[in-house]
Amino acid sequence: MREHLRAWWAAHRRPSLAAGACLAAAMSVLWFRVLPDAVDDATGWAWLALSLGHGVCWALLAASMVIGVANGPRRLRSGLAWAALASYAAFVLALVTR
């Protein structure tokens, strides 16, 4: 089963990453256009994390996938993905602690 999945991914990696990048970019734009109500009450770092964290997360994931489509450096792709995770973690932390 694992070999079958690897073969499928090898054949469909670039189109799948391109589709994922488009979806992630759309989510980023959507999030920046429709901010949550929690942003109105927040101040300081919580305001920053709530207003930017989720949208930045999707934008970083989109960038990581675009670099994957272009067969860019693995370290750069991984770094962007980890930065996306950190951005999302800051967003969730601000959402929970507000």
Side-chain angles (χ1 to χ4, degrees):
M1 179 68 160
R2 223 171 144 175
E3 292 172 12
H4 177 68
L5 289 174
R6 284 186 181 176
W8 184 90
W9 182 247
H12 298 93
R13 182 178 83 66
R14 292 179 86 183
S16 297
L17 286 173
C22 289
L23 182 63
M27 289 297 294
S28 179
V29 169
L30 176 68
W31 189 262
F32 283 125
R33 298 285 295 155
V34 182
L35 291 176
D37 293 335
V39 173
D40 297 336
D41 300 333
T43 59
W45 80 269
W47 178 86
L48 185 67
L50 288 171
S51 61
L52 296 179
H54 206 265
V56 167
C57 172
W58 284 110
L60 290 169
L61 286 175
S64 177
M65 288 185 235
V66 166
I67 292 169
V69 169
N71 289 325
R74 183 177 177 92
R75 265 182 97 167
L76 181 58
R77 289 184 311 216
S78 295
L80 289 171
W82 282 108
L85 179 63
S87 175
Y88 189 72
F91 166 77
V92 170
L93 182 65
L95 194 61
V96 170
T97 61
R98 66 171 180 92

